[in-house]
Amino acid sequence: MQIFVNTSLNESLRKSLKQQLPAGHSVFFKNEWSEEEQMAAFQHSQVILGNPPAAWLATAPPLLKYWQLDSAGFDGYKNLNLPNVAVCNLADYYSIPCAETIIAGIMAFYRGVDELTLLKAEKRWVGAPIRFRLNLLTGKRVVILGAGSIGQAVKKMLLGFDCQIHLVARSHPKADIHSPEELMAVLPQTDLVINCLPGAAKGFFTAQMIDTLPSAAVFANVGRGTTVNEAALILALQEKRLAGAVLDVTEVEPLPADNPLWQMSNVILTQHTGGGQASEDEGKISFFVKNFQRFIKTQPLENQKDLQRGY
């Protein structure tokens, strides 16, 4: 089979990928060829690794059978119709780093680490007065939006803090809240909302939901910025109807310089770094090789998704 690698890999990683693949398969690395050569190879490939432009897939390459995304999200491809192509994402691979990032941000907010970091840069010791403004994650009443691998990883970590947790999902068997109406009923008694929803859930967390939260509540987002009414969130933060927010994602990225979120002392921004780790590209290759071996052996694939359904 011919494998088209859209992911940009350095020379060492390209060599590593070739060495790990079973014999008898050719690999075409996009960043080694001209645009004309790239398109020709793409159209003649049976396998894709990475996230090519959606326009390239408007008409599916005739030989394409397996597509391994190198991301967790795939909302940019939701309108594609690829009925005979097995499509997989990397949600499980990114779940732990995403969960650790959002928990770290929430801890930084509750324990004043963001403020203390700024004081360090200013070489200014405040100390004792800050102690009485600090909060605890332990025992918080938490709603997690989304019961996928990231939501499950967040829940697992929060159990160590003795949090009371509600999991929200339309049909997932591990969720205990399945509708907006059920969610609205628990929001007034919620301390912390953690959004792990994919882009397919656009606009799910509404202005009404934000307004239903108590003023001491915190909103955190490691899903997609488009799944929450950002304008309503900003207004609630400005008017102190929410205590704060921890945002790995925003509606527009990079966040525009004139967005009020930059100036808010009660907001932590982690700049969509949630899935990051030093060995990220090596992990992508390892996941692809294992899943590709499953594919050629006609075994069940990990993280197979339905583009049209969004999960």
Side-chain angles (χ1 to χ4, degrees):
M1 291 188 185
Q2 178 168 295
I3 302 167
F4 182 92
V5 180
N6 191 83
T7 306
S8 293
L9 300 171
N10 62 35
E11 184 177 352
S12 175
L13 290 175
R14 293 197 295 270
K15 182 178 179 181
S16 175
L17 174 56
K18 287 181 177 180
Q19 290 173 340
Q20 292 182 58
L21 287 170
H25 303 284
S26 60
V27 185
F28 186 101
F29 294 100
K30 176 183 175 181
N31 55 354
E32 291 183 336
W33 303 89
S34 68
E35 289 187 15
E36 184 177 343
E37 290 168 323
Q38 290 170 17
M39 184 56 69
F42 184 80
Q43 288 297 320
H44 289 89
S45 294
Q46 290 88 9
V47 179
I48 299 171
L49 168 59
N51 297 20
W56 286 19
L57 289 151
T59 301
L63 303 177
L64 183 61
K65 297 298 179 184
Y66 169 49
W67 176 17
Q68 176 66 63
L69 294 151
D70 65 4
S71 64
F74 51 92
D75 39 295
Y77 300 112
K78 64 183 179 181
N79 295 319
L80 296 178
N81 183 26
L82 304 174
N84 300 313
V85 180
V87 181
C88 302
N89 74 345
L90 282 180
D92 290 350
Y93 177 64
Y94 288 118
S95 58
I96 291 177
C98 282
E100 288 195 7
T101 290
I102 206 64
I103 296 298
I106 292 164
M107 289 291 291
F109 181 85
Y110 281 145
R111 303 305 299 161
V113 176
D114 56 329
E115 180 180 357
L116 292 164
T117 300
L118 292 173
L119 290 173
K120 177 178 178 288
E122 298 171 4
K123 299 181 181 179
R124 184 159 62 95
W125 186 278
V126 175
I130 295 175
R131 293 169 60 98
F132 302 99
R133 301 201 303 270
L134 301 182
N135 207 327
L136 297 175
L137 175 57
T138 297
K140 286 290 188 286
R141 300 167 298 180
V142 183
V143 166
I144 300 173
L145 306 177
S149 59
I150 297 174
Q152 294 288 345
V154 169
K155 180 180 178 179
K156 182 179 180 180
M157 294 178 191
L158 288 178
L159 289 174
F161 292 91
D162 295 324
C163 292
Q164 304 168 47
I165 303 169
H166 286 293
L167 204 58
V168 181
R170 180 170 49 188
S171 58
H172 198 287
K174 291 187 178 180
D176 60 300
I177 294 177
H178 300 285
S179 70
E181 293 75 21
E182 292 176 299
L183 175 58
M184 287 288 289
V186 303
L187 287 178
Q189 296 82 43
T190 298
D191 301 308
L192 171 63
V193 175
I194 304 177
N195 181 16
C196 305
L197 291 170
K202 184 176 181 179
F204 177 85
F205 204 68
T206 63
Q208 185 181 11
M209 292 175 181
I210 292 168
D211 292 342
T212 304
L213 287 166
S215 60
V218 173
F219 179 82
N221 195 353
V222 72
R224 284 290 182 266
T226 54
T227 60
V228 59
N229 186 325
E230 189 173 282
L233 175 64
I234 290 172
L235 185 61
L237 291 164
Q238 290 172 327
E239 296 179 351
K240 306 300 181 185
R241 291 184 284 109
L242 277 184
V246 179
L247 306 175
D248 187 58
V249 293
T250 53
E251 187 173 3
V252 177
E253 297 178 4
L255 186 66
D258 60 353
N259 190 296
L261 291 169
W262 285 114
Q263 306 300 325
M264 295 182 179
S265 61
N266 58 343
V267 174
I268 291 178
L269 299 169
T270 56
Q271 302 191 22
H272 207 146
T273 61
Q277 52 187 305
S279 59
E280 187 172 341
D281 283 342
E282 289 88 340
K284 290 177 182 179
I285 289 173
S286 177
F287 189 97
F288 169 71
V289 170
K290 290 177 182 178
N291 229 15
F292 178 63
Q293 289 173 335
R294 287 173 174 267
F295 173 74
I296 59 180
K297 295 176 183 177
T298 65
Q299 296 174 345
L301 300 174
E302 291 188 37
N303 291 1
Q304 188 164 354
K305 304 299 176 184
D306 185 327
L307 294 180
Q308 305 239 313
R309 296 178 70 183
Y311 57 91

